[in-house]
């Protein structure tokens, strides 16, 4: 029975981390979720915002200090990667320094751990919405989700 229980827990976690998080507008495709990290996403005023985040021990391929999130309102993501839905890549590194301070999951709390804990997940999403509001993004927060790579 223990093997079955362990299998069910593992399968449940895999399903939760692979759940698509589509939102409005429907013309915006679901972006690629970075391996070794995740995406926090929300819709405000018919614009979809997603914030790439890397797990501890990983960092972004491009500097993201001033690009805390990407947005989509017309079917195209505002990404630095050309021709696609890739918003970020999380590369293994001993030092993380090219993203903003909130762009990383804490050392003992990777994306999957965060997703499995409703309080941790809510904090990540609430912090992201607060960042958007600080940058003048208004509207009711809808279709919030956290998805892991």
């Amino acid at each position: 029975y223990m093997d079955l229980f362990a299998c069910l827990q593992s399968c449940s976690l895999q399903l939760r981390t692979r759940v698509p998080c589509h939102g409005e507008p429907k013309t915006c495709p679901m972006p690629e979720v970075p391996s070794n990290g995740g995406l926090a996403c929300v819709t405000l005023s018919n614009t979809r915002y997603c914030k790439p985040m890397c797990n501890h021990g990983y960092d972004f391929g491009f500097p993201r200090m001033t690009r805390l999130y990407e947005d989509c309102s017309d079917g195209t993501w505002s990404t630095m990667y050309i021709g696609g839905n890739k918003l970020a890549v999380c590369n293994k590194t001993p030092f993380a320094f090219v993203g903003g301070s909130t762009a990383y999951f804490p050392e003992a709390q990777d994306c999957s751990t965060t997703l499995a804990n409703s309080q941790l997940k809510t904090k990540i999403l609430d912090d992201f919405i607060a960042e958007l509001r600080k940058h003048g993004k208004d509207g009711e927060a809808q279709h919030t989700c956290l998805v892991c790579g």
Side-chain angles (χ1 to χ4, degrees), residues 36 53-58 92-94 96 101 103-114 120 124:
N36 305 306
M53 297 180 70
C54 289
N55 291 334
H56 180 77
Y58 294 85
K92 184 102 175 118
T93 181
S101 62
Y104 305 98
F105 290 98
E107 185 170 359
Q109 179 189 317
D110 66 6
C111 186
S112 296
T113 303
T114 302
L120 297 175
I124 291 286

mmCIF file with all atom_site columns, all heavy atoms in Angstrom, residues 36 53-58 92-94 96 101 103-114 120 124:
data_model
loop_
_atom_site.group_PDB
_atom_site.id
_atom_site.type_symbol
_atom_site.label_atom_id
_atom_site.label_alt_id
_atom_site.label_comp_id
_atom_site.label_asym_id
_atom_site.label_entity_id
_atom_site.label_seq_id
_atom_site.pdbx_PDB_ins_code
_atom_site.Cartn_x
_atom_site.Cartn_y
_atom_site.Cartn_z
_atom_site.occupancy
_atom_site.B_iso_or_equiv
_atom_site.pdbx_formal_charge
_atom_site.auth_seq_id
_atom_site.auth_comp_id
_atom_site.auth_asym_id
_atom_site.auth_atom_id
_atom_site.pdbx_PDB_model_num
ATOM 1   N N   . ASN A 1 36  ? 13.240 24.058 -14.352 1.00 0.00 ? 36  ASN A N   1
ATOM 2   C CA  . ASN A 1 36  ? 13.954 24.521 -13.160 1.00 0.00 ? 36  ASN A CA  1
ATOM 3   C C   . ASN A 1 36  ? 13.422 25.858 -12.652 1.00 0.00 ? 36  ASN A C   1
ATOM 4   O O   . ASN A 1 36  ? 14.158 26.674 -12.122 1.00 0.00 ? 36  ASN A O   1
ATOM 5   C CB  . ASN A 1 36  ? 15.461 24.611 -13.416 1.00 0.00 ? 36  ASN A CB  1
ATOM 6   C CG  . ASN A 1 36  ? 16.013 23.309 -13.904 1.00 0.00 ? 36  ASN A CG  1
ATOM 7   O OD1 . ASN A 1 36  ? 15.830 22.288 -13.268 1.00 0.00 ? 36  ASN A OD1 1
ATOM 8   N ND2 . ASN A 1 36  ? 16.650 23.321 -15.063 1.00 0.00 ? 36  ASN A ND2 1
ATOM 9   N N   . MET A 1 53  ? 10.067 32.779 -12.951 1.00 0.00 ? 53  MET A N   1
ATOM 10  C CA  . MET A 1 53  ? 10.797 32.627 -11.695 1.00 0.00 ? 53  MET A CA  1
ATOM 11  C C   . MET A 1 53  ? 11.691 31.391 -11.796 1.00 0.00 ? 53  MET A C   1
ATOM 12  O O   . MET A 1 53  ? 11.275 30.377 -12.347 1.00 0.00 ? 53  MET A O   1
ATOM 13  C CB  . MET A 1 53  ? 9.826  32.483 -10.526 1.00 0.00 ? 53  MET A CB  1
ATOM 14  C CG  . MET A 1 53  ? 8.942  33.704 -10.312 1.00 0.00 ? 53  MET A CG  1
ATOM 15  S SD  . MET A 1 53  ? 7.806  33.511 -8.916  1.00 0.00 ? 53  MET A SD  1
ATOM 16  C CE  . MET A 1 53  ? 8.963  33.556 -7.540  1.00 0.00 ? 53  MET A CE  1
ATOM 17  N N   . CYS A 1 54  ? 12.907 31.494 -11.261 1.00 0.00 ? 54  CYS A N   1
ATOM 18  C CA  . CYS A 1 54  ? 13.833 30.359 -11.260 1.00 0.00 ? 54  CYS A CA  1
ATOM 19  C C   . CYS A 1 54  ? 13.934 29.760 -9.858  1.00 0.00 ? 54  CYS A C   1
ATOM 20  O O   . CYS A 1 54  ? 13.841 30.485 -8.861  1.00 0.00 ? 54  CYS A O   1
ATOM 21  C CB  . CYS A 1 54  ? 15.227 30.807 -11.697 1.00 0.00 ? 54  CYS A CB  1
ATOM 22  S SG  . CYS A 1 54  ? 15.366 31.233 -13.441 1.00 0.00 ? 54  CYS A SG  1
ATOM 23  N N   . ASN A 1 55  ? 14.143 28.448 -9.814  1.00 0.00 ? 55  ASN A N   1
ATOM 24  C CA  . ASN A 1 55  ? 14.431 27.782 -8.545  1.00 0.00 ? 55  ASN A CA  1
ATOM 25  C C   . ASN A 1 55  ? 15.795 28.222 -8.048  1.00 0.00 ? 55  ASN A C   1
ATOM 26  O O   . ASN A 1 55  ? 16.634 28.702 -8.821  1.00 0.00 ? 55  ASN A O   1
ATOM 27  C CB  . ASN A 1 55  ? 14.411 26.263 -8.725  1.00 0.00 ? 55  ASN A CB  1
ATOM 28  C CG  . ASN A 1 55  ? 13.027 25.733 -8.984  1.00 0.00 ? 55  ASN A CG  1
ATOM 29  O OD1 . ASN A 1 55  ? 12.023 26.317 -8.588  1.00 0.00 ? 55  ASN A OD1 1
ATOM 30  N ND2 . ASN A 1 55  ? 12.949 24.600 -9.675  1.00 0.00 ? 55  ASN A ND2 1
ATOM 31  N N   . HIS A 1 56  ? 16.048 28.026 -6.750  1.00 0.00 ? 56  HIS A N   1
ATOM 32  C CA  . HIS A 1 56  ? 17.349 28.326 -6.164  1.00 0.00 ? 56  HIS A CA  1
ATOM 33  C C   . HIS A 1 56  ? 18.422 27.518 -6.901  1.00 0.00 ? 56  HIS A C   1
ATOM 34  O O   . HIS A 1 56  ? 18.236 26.344 -7.206  1.00 0.00 ? 56  HIS A O   1
ATOM 35  C CB  . HIS A 1 56  ? 17.350 27.965 -4.671  1.00 0.00 ? 56  HIS A CB  1
ATOM 36  C CG  . HIS A 1 56  ? 18.650 28.257 -4.015  1.00 0.00 ? 56  HIS A CG  1
ATOM 37  N ND1 . HIS A 1 56  ? 19.035 29.532 -3.655  1.00 0.00 ? 56  HIS A ND1 1
ATOM 38  C CD2 . HIS A 1 56  ? 19.676 27.440 -3.676  1.00 0.00 ? 56  HIS A CD2 1
ATOM 39  C CE1 . HIS A 1 56  ? 20.221 29.482 -3.116  1.00 0.00 ? 56  HIS A CE1 1
ATOM 40  N NE2 . HIS A 1 56  ? 20.634 28.231 -3.120  1.00 0.00 ? 56  HIS A NE2 1
ATOM 41  N N   . GLY A 1 57  ? 19.553 28.163 -7.202  1.00 0.00 ? 57  GLY A N   1
ATOM 42  C CA  . GLY A 1 57  ? 20.641 27.491 -7.915  1.00 0.00 ? 57  GLY A CA  1
ATOM 43  C C   . GLY A 1 57  ? 20.550 27.647 -9.420  1.00 0.00 ? 57  GLY A C   1
ATOM 44  O O   . GLY A 1 57  ? 21.356 27.073 -10.153 1.00 0.00 ? 57  GLY A O   1
ATOM 45  N N   . TYR A 1 58  ? 19.571 28.431 -9.885  1.00 0.00 ? 58  TYR A N   1
ATOM 46  C CA  . TYR A 1 58  ? 19.382 28.682 -11.313 1.00 0.00 ? 58  TYR A CA  1
ATOM 47  C C   . TYR A 1 58  ? 19.222 30.176 -11.536 1.00 0.00 ? 58  TYR A C   1
ATOM 48  O O   . TYR A 1 58  ? 18.780 30.908 -10.658 1.00 0.00 ? 58  TYR A O   1
ATOM 49  C CB  . TYR A 1 58  ? 18.138 27.944 -11.826 1.00 0.00 ? 58  TYR A CB  1
ATOM 50  C CG  . TYR A 1 58  ? 18.301 26.451 -11.773 1.00 0.00 ? 58  TYR A CG  1
ATOM 51  C CD1 . TYR A 1 58  ? 18.029 25.742 -10.604 1.00 0.00 ? 58  TYR A CD1 1
ATOM 52  C CD2 . TYR A 1 58  ? 18.763 25.744 -12.878 1.00 0.00 ? 58  TYR A CD2 1
ATOM 53  C CE1 . TYR A 1 58  ? 18.207 24.375 -10.543 1.00 0.00 ? 58  TYR A CE1 1
ATOM 54  C CE2 . TYR A 1 58  ? 18.941 24.375 -12.822 1.00 0.00 ? 58  TYR A CE2 1
ATOM 55  C CZ  . TYR A 1 58  ? 18.662 23.690 -11.657 1.00 0.00 ? 58  TYR A CZ  1
ATOM 56  O OH  . TYR A 1 58  ? 18.839 22.340 -11.587 1.00 0.00 ? 58  TYR A OH  1
ATOM 57  N N   . LYS A 1 92  ? 21.500 26.474 -14.706 1.00 0.00 ? 92  LYS A N   1
ATOM 58  C CA  . LYS A 1 92  ? 22.204 26.127 -13.462 1.00 0.00 ? 92  LYS A CA  1
ATOM 59  C C   . LYS A 1 92  ? 23.361 27.098 -13.262 1.00 0.00 ? 92  LYS A C   1
ATOM 60  O O   . LYS A 1 92  ? 24.102 27.386 -14.192 1.00 0.00 ? 92  LYS A O   1
ATOM 61  C CB  . LYS A 1 92  ? 22.728 24.691 -13.557 1.00 0.00 ? 92  LYS A CB  1
ATOM 62  C CG  . LYS A 1 92  ? 23.382 24.201 -12.306 1.00 0.00 ? 92  LYS A CG  1
ATOM 63  C CD  . LYS A 1 92  ? 22.445 23.297 -11.561 1.00 0.00 ? 92  LYS A CD  1
ATOM 64  C CE  . LYS A 1 92  ? 23.135 22.693 -10.360 1.00 0.00 ? 92  LYS A CE  1
ATOM 65  N NZ  . LYS A 1 92  ? 22.485 23.089 -9.123  1.00 0.00 ? 92  LYS A NZ  1
ATOM 66  N N   . THR A 1 93  ? 23.465 27.641 -12.048 1.00 0.00 ? 93  THR A N   1
ATOM 67  C CA  . THR A 1 93  ? 24.529 28.587 -11.737 1.00 0.00 ? 93  THR A CA  1
ATOM 68  C C   . THR A 1 93  ? 24.730 28.654 -10.222 1.00 0.00 ? 93  THR A C   1
ATOM 69  O O   . THR A 1 93  ? 23.781 28.487 -9.471  1.00 0.00 ? 93  THR A O   1
ATOM 70  C CB  . THR A 1 93  ? 24.204 29.998 -12.278 1.00 0.00 ? 93  THR A CB  1
ATOM 71  O OG1 . THR A 1 93  ? 25.273 30.880 -11.969 1.00 0.00 ? 93  THR A OG1 1
ATOM 72  C CG2 . THR A 1 93  ? 22.941 30.548 -11.679 1.00 0.00 ? 93  THR A CG2 1
ATOM 73  N N   . PRO A 1 94  ? 25.959 28.894 -9.776  1.00 0.00 ? 94  PRO A N   1
ATOM 74  C CA  . PRO A 1 94  ? 26.178 29.011 -8.332  1.00 0.00 ? 94  PRO A CA  1
ATOM 75  C C   . PRO A 1 94  ? 25.664 30.336 -7.774  1.00 0.00 ? 94  PRO A C   1
ATOM 76  O O   . PRO A 1 94  ? 25.373 30.446 -6.596  1.00 0.00 ? 94  PRO A O   1
ATOM 77  C CB  . PRO A 1 94  ? 27.693 28.897 -8.190  1.00 0.00 ? 94  PRO A CB  1
ATOM 78  C CG  . PRO A 1 94  ? 28.248 29.269 -9.525  1.00 0.00 ? 94  PRO A CG  1
ATOM 79  C CD  . PRO A 1 94  ? 27.206 28.910 -10.542 1.00 0.00 ? 94  PRO A CD  1
ATOM 80  N N   . ALA A 1 96  ? 22.903 33.626 -8.451  1.00 0.00 ? 96  ALA A N   1
ATOM 81  C CA  . ALA A 1 96  ? 21.780 34.216 -9.188  1.00 0.00 ? 96  ALA A CA  1
ATOM 82  C C   . ALA A 1 96  ? 21.838 35.721 -8.998  1.00 0.00 ? 96  ALA A C   1
ATOM 83  O O   . ALA A 1 96  ? 21.813 36.210 -7.872  1.00 0.00 ? 96  ALA A O   1
ATOM 84  C CB  . ALA A 1 96  ? 20.465 33.661 -8.662  1.00 0.00 ? 96  ALA A CB  1
ATOM 85  N N   . SER A 1 101 ? 14.973 40.695 -7.229  1.00 0.00 ? 101 SER A N   1
ATOM 86  C CA  . SER A 1 101 ? 15.028 39.902 -5.995  1.00 0.00 ? 101 SER A CA  1
ATOM 87  C C   . SER A 1 101 ? 13.829 38.978 -5.829  1.00 0.00 ? 101 SER A C   1
ATOM 88  O O   . SER A 1 101 ? 13.920 37.942 -5.175  1.00 0.00 ? 101 SER A O   1
ATOM 89  C CB  . SER A 1 101 ? 15.154 40.824 -4.784  1.00 0.00 ? 101 SER A CB  1
ATOM 90  O OG  . SER A 1 101 ? 14.014 41.661 -4.699  1.00 0.00 ? 101 SER A OG  1
ATOM 91  N N   . ALA A 1 103 ? 12.370 37.334 -8.255  1.00 0.00 ? 103 ALA A N   1
ATOM 92  C CA  . ALA A 1 103 ? 12.297 36.442 -9.411  1.00 0.00 ? 103 ALA A CA  1
ATOM 93  C C   . ALA A 1 103 ? 12.812 35.036 -9.122  1.00 0.00 ? 103 ALA A C   1
ATOM 94  O O   . ALA A 1 103 ? 12.955 34.233 -10.037 1.00 0.00 ? 103 ALA A O   1
ATOM 95  C CB  . ALA A 1 103 ? 13.081 37.049 -10.581 1.00 0.00 ? 103 ALA A CB  1
ATOM 96  N N   . TYR A 1 104 ? 13.076 34.749 -7.849  1.00 0.00 ? 104 TYR A N   1
ATOM 97  C CA  . TYR A 1 104 ? 13.632 33.447 -7.476  1.00 0.00 ? 104 TYR A CA  1
ATOM 98  C C   . TYR A 1 104 ? 12.821 32.822 -6.346  1.00 0.00 ? 104 TYR A C   1
ATOM 99  O O   . TYR A 1 104 ? 12.388 33.517 -5.430  1.00 0.00 ? 104 TYR A O   1
ATOM 100 C CB  . TYR A 1 104 ? 15.079 33.600 -7.002  1.00 0.00 ? 104 TYR A CB  1
ATOM 101 C CG  . TYR A 1 104 ? 15.964 34.283 -8.014  1.00 0.00 ? 104 TYR A CG  1
ATOM 102 C CD1 . TYR A 1 104 ? 16.237 35.642 -7.916  1.00 0.00 ? 104 TYR A CD1 1
ATOM 103 C CD2 . TYR A 1 104 ? 16.502 33.581 -9.080  1.00 0.00 ? 104 TYR A CD2 1
ATOM 104 C CE1 . TYR A 1 104 ? 17.041 36.276 -8.850  1.00 0.00 ? 104 TYR A CE1 1
ATOM 105 C CE2 . TYR A 1 104 ? 17.305 34.209 -10.020 1.00 0.00 ? 104 TYR A CE2 1
ATOM 106 C CZ  . TYR A 1 104 ? 17.568 35.559 -9.901  1.00 0.00 ? 104 TYR A CZ  1
ATOM 107 O OH  . TYR A 1 104 ? 18.354 36.185 -10.828 1.00 0.00 ? 104 TYR A OH  1
ATOM 108 N N   . PHE A 1 105 ? 12.641 31.519 -6.429  1.00 0.00 ? 105 PHE A N   1
ATOM 109 C CA  . PHE A 1 105 ? 12.037 30.788 -5.320  1.00 0.00 ? 105 PHE A CA  1
ATOM 110 C C   . PHE A 1 105 ? 13.107 30.642 -4.232  1.00 0.00 ? 105 PHE A C   1
ATOM 111 O O   . PHE A 1 105 ? 14.285 30.478 -4.549  1.00 0.00 ? 105 PHE A O   1
ATOM 112 C CB  . PHE A 1 105 ? 11.559 29.406 -5.771  1.00 0.00 ? 105 PHE A CB  1
ATOM 113 C CG  . PHE A 1 105 ? 10.380 29.458 -6.691  1.00 0.00 ? 105 PHE A CG  1
ATOM 114 C CD1 . PHE A 1 105 ? 10.544 29.364 -8.061  1.00 0.00 ? 105 PHE A CD1 1
ATOM 115 C CD2 . PHE A 1 105 ? 9.091  29.606 -6.187  1.00 0.00 ? 105 PHE A CD2 1
ATOM 116 C CE1 . PHE A 1 105 ? 9.448  29.416 -8.920  1.00 0.00 ? 105 PHE A CE1 1
ATOM 117 C CE2 . PHE A 1 105 ? 7.990  29.664 -7.031  1.00 0.00 ? 105 PHE A CE2 1
ATOM 118 C CZ  . PHE A 1 105 ? 8.177  29.572 -8.402  1.00 0.00 ? 105 PHE A CZ  1
ATOM 119 N N   . PRO A 1 106 ? 12.721 30.703 -2.955  1.00 0.00 ? 106 PRO A N   1
ATOM 120 C CA  . PRO A 1 106 ? 13.702 30.544 -1.867  1.00 0.00 ? 106 PRO A CA  1
ATOM 121 C C   . PRO A 1 106 ? 14.407 29.189 -1.914  1.00 0.00 ? 106 PRO A C   1
ATOM 122 O O   . PRO A 1 106 ? 13.903 28.234 -2.508  1.00 0.00 ? 106 PRO A O   1
ATOM 123 C CB  . PRO A 1 106 ? 12.845 30.667 -0.605  1.00 0.00 ? 106 PRO A CB  1
ATOM 124 C CG  . PRO A 1 106 ? 11.632 31.412 -1.026  1.00 0.00 ? 106 PRO A CG  1
ATOM 125 C CD  . PRO A 1 106 ? 11.393 31.004 -2.459  1.00 0.00 ? 106 PRO A CD  1
ATOM 126 N N   . GLU A 1 107 ? 15.544 29.106 -1.256  1.00 0.00 ? 107 GLU A N   1
ATOM 127 C CA  . GLU A 1 107 ? 16.402 27.921 -1.314  1.00 0.00 ? 107 GLU A CA  1
ATOM 128 C C   . GLU A 1 107 ? 15.667 26.623 -1.003  1.00 0.00 ? 107 GLU A C   1
ATOM 129 O O   . GLU A 1 107 ? 15.798 25.645 -1.714  1.00 0.00 ? 107 GLU A O   1
ATOM 130 C CB  . GLU A 1 107 ? 17.591 28.083 -0.367  1.00 0.00 ? 107 GLU A CB  1
ATOM 131 C CG  . GLU A 1 107 ? 18.573 26.945 -0.460  1.00 0.00 ? 107 GLU A CG  1
ATOM 132 C CD  . GLU A 1 107 ? 19.863 27.216 0.287   1.00 0.00 ? 107 GLU A CD  1
ATOM 133 O OE1 . GLU A 1 107 ? 20.012 28.307 0.863   1.00 0.00 ? 107 GLU A OE1 1
ATOM 134 O OE2 . GLU A 1 107 ? 20.715 26.316 0.298   1.00 0.00 ? 107 GLU A OE2 1
ATOM 135 N N   . ALA A 1 108 ? 14.901 26.576 0.054   1.00 0.00 ? 108 ALA A N   1
ATOM 136 C CA  . ALA A 1 108 ? 14.232 25.331 0.452   1.00 0.00 ? 108 ALA A CA  1
ATOM 137 C C   . ALA A 1 108 ? 12.794 25.266 -0.066  1.00 0.00 ? 108 ALA A C   1
ATOM 138 O O   . ALA A 1 108 ? 11.992 24.493 0.432   1.00 0.00 ? 108 ALA A O   1
ATOM 139 C CB  . ALA A 1 108 ? 14.250 25.197 1.961   1.00 0.00 ? 108 ALA A CB  1
ATOM 140 N N   . GLN A 1 109 ? 12.486 26.073 -1.068  1.00 0.00 ? 109 GLN A N   1
ATOM 141 C CA  . GLN A 1 109 ? 11.098 26.173 -1.537  1.00 0.00 ? 109 GLN A CA  1
ATOM 142 C C   . GLN A 1 109 ? 11.077 26.334 -3.056  1.00 0.00 ? 109 GLN A C   1
ATOM 143 O O   . GLN A 1 109 ? 10.872 27.421 -3.567  1.00 0.00 ? 109 GLN A O   1
ATOM 144 C CB  . GLN A 1 109 ? 10.445 27.390 -0.858  1.00 0.00 ? 109 GLN A CB  1
ATOM 145 C CG  . GLN A 1 109 ? 9.018  27.657 -1.242  1.00 0.00 ? 109 GLN A CG  1
ATOM 146 C CD  . GLN A 1 109 ? 8.562  28.996 -0.694  1.00 0.00 ? 109 GLN A CD  1
ATOM 147 O OE1 . GLN A 1 109 ? 8.843  29.334 0.451   1.00 0.00 ? 109 GLN A OE1 1
ATOM 148 N NE2 . GLN A 1 109 ? 7.873  29.767 -1.507  1.00 0.00 ? 109 GLN A NE2 1
ATOM 149 N N   . ASP A 1 110 ? 11.313 25.233 -3.790  1.00 0.00 ? 110 ASP A N   1
ATOM 150 C CA  . ASP A 1 110 ? 11.281 25.350 -5.242  1.00 0.00 ? 110 ASP A CA  1
ATOM 151 C C   . ASP A 1 110 ? 9.841  25.512 -5.728  1.00 0.00 ? 110 ASP A C   1
ATOM 152 O O   . ASP A 1 110 ? 8.906  25.561 -4.928  1.00 0.00 ? 110 ASP A O   1
ATOM 153 C CB  . ASP A 1 110 ? 11.976 24.155 -5.905  1.00 0.00 ? 110 ASP A CB  1
ATOM 154 C CG  . ASP A 1 110 ? 11.261 22.834 -5.687  1.00 0.00 ? 110 ASP A CG  1
ATOM 155 O OD1 . ASP A 1 110 ? 10.153 22.816 -5.116  1.00 0.00 ? 110 ASP A OD1 1
ATOM 156 O OD2 . ASP A 1 110 ? 11.820 21.803 -6.089  1.00 0.00 ? 110 ASP A OD2 1
ATOM 157 N N   . CYS A 1 111 ? 9.653  25.602 -7.017  1.00 0.00 ? 111 CYS A N   1
ATOM 158 C CA  . CYS A 1 111 ? 8.325  25.851 -7.568  1.00 0.00 ? 111 CYS A CA  1
ATOM 159 C C   . CYS A 1 111 ? 7.329  24.758 -7.177  1.00 0.00 ? 111 CYS A C   1
ATOM 160 O O   . CYS A 1 111 ? 6.204  25.050 -6.769  1.00 0.00 ? 111 CYS A O   1
ATOM 161 C CB  . CYS A 1 111 ? 8.405  25.975 -9.095  1.00 0.00 ? 111 CYS A CB  1
ATOM 162 S SG  . CYS A 1 111 ? 6.839  26.464 -9.856  1.00 0.00 ? 111 CYS A SG  1
ATOM 163 N N   . SER A 1 112 ? 7.729  23.513 -7.275  1.00 0.00 ? 112 SER A N   1
ATOM 164 C CA  . SER A 1 112 ? 6.818  22.406 -6.955  1.00 0.00 ? 112 SER A CA  1
ATOM 165 C C   . SER A 1 112 ? 6.389  22.431 -5.488  1.00 0.00 ? 112 SER A C   1
ATOM 166 O O   . SER A 1 112 ? 5.226  22.180 -5.168  1.00 0.00 ? 112 SER A O   1
ATOM 167 C CB  . SER A 1 112 ? 7.470  21.058 -7.281  1.00 0.00 ? 112 SER A CB  1
ATOM 168 O OG  . SER A 1 112 ? 7.696  20.965 -8.668  1.00 0.00 ? 112 SER A OG  1
ATOM 169 N N   . THR A 1 113 ? 7.326  22.739 -4.589  1.00 0.00 ? 113 THR A N   1
ATOM 170 C CA  . THR A 1 113 ? 7.005  22.847 -3.165  1.00 0.00 ? 113 THR A CA  1
ATOM 171 C C   . THR A 1 113 ? 6.023  23.989 -2.936  1.00 0.00 ? 113 THR A C   1
ATOM 172 O O   . THR A 1 113 ? 5.064  23.861 -2.176  1.00 0.00 ? 113 THR A O   1
ATOM 173 C CB  . THR A 1 113 ? 8.291  23.100 -2.346  1.00 0.00 ? 113 THR A CB  1
ATOM 174 O OG1 . THR A 1 113 ? 9.207  22.041 -2.600  1.00 0.00 ? 113 THR A OG1 1
ATOM 175 C CG2 . THR A 1 113 ? 8.001  23.180 -0.863  1.00 0.00 ? 113 THR A CG2 1
ATOM 176 N N   . THR A 1 114 ? 6.245  25.100 -3.604  1.00 0.00 ? 114 THR A N   1
ATOM 177 C CA  . THR A 1 114 ? 5.363  26.263 -3.491  1.00 0.00 ? 114 THR A CA  1
ATOM 178 C C   . THR A 1 114 ? 3.971  25.931 -3.995  1.00 0.00 ? 114 THR A C   1
ATOM 179 O O   . THR A 1 114 ? 2.975  26.260 -3.351  1.00 0.00 ? 114 THR A O   1
ATOM 180 C CB  . THR A 1 114 ? 5.943  27.451 -4.284  1.00 0.00 ? 114 THR A CB  1
ATOM 181 O OG1 . THR A 1 114 ? 7.250  27.739 -3.789  1.00 0.00 ? 114 THR A OG1 1
ATOM 182 C CG2 . THR A 1 114 ? 5.065  28.679 -4.164  1.00 0.00 ? 114 THR A CG2 1
ATOM 183 N N   . LEU A 1 120 ? 1.918  29.257 0.475   1.00 0.00 ? 120 LEU A N   1
ATOM 184 C CA  . LEU A 1 120 ? 3.091  29.712 -0.266  1.00 0.00 ? 120 LEU A CA  1
ATOM 185 C C   . LEU A 1 120 ? 2.701  30.174 -1.665  1.00 0.00 ? 120 LEU A C   1
ATOM 186 O O   . LEU A 1 120 ? 3.176  31.213 -2.150  1.00 0.00 ? 120 LEU A O   1
ATOM 187 C CB  . LEU A 1 120 ? 4.142  28.594 -0.356  1.00 0.00 ? 120 LEU A CB  1
ATOM 188 C CG  . LEU A 1 120 ? 4.748  28.106 0.956   1.00 0.00 ? 120 LEU A CG  1
ATOM 189 C CD1 . LEU A 1 120 ? 5.680  26.926 0.707   1.00 0.00 ? 120 LEU A CD1 1
ATOM 190 C CD2 . LEU A 1 120 ? 5.478  29.236 1.665   1.00 0.00 ? 120 LEU A CD2 1
ATOM 191 N N   . ILE A 1 124 ? 3.106  34.047 -3.323  1.00 0.00 ? 124 ILE A N   1
ATOM 192 C CA  . ILE A 1 124 ? 3.809  34.335 -4.586  1.00 0.00 ? 124 ILE A CA  1
ATOM 193 C C   . ILE A 1 124 ? 2.890  35.119 -5.527  1.00 0.00 ? 124 ILE A C   1
ATOM 194 O O   . ILE A 1 124 ? 3.291  36.136 -6.103  1.00 0.00 ? 124 ILE A O   1
ATOM 195 C CB  . ILE A 1 124 ? 4.280  33.026 -5.268  1.00 0.00 ? 124 ILE A CB  1
ATOM 196 C CG1 . ILE A 1 124 ? 5.400  32.360 -4.464  1.00 0.00 ? 124 ILE A CG1 1
ATOM 197 C CG2 . ILE A 1 124 ? 4.701  33.278 -6.716  1.00 0.00 ? 124 ILE A CG2 1
ATOM 198 C CD1 . ILE A 1 124 ? 6.752  33.010 -4.544  1.00 0.00 ? 124 ILE A CD1 1
#
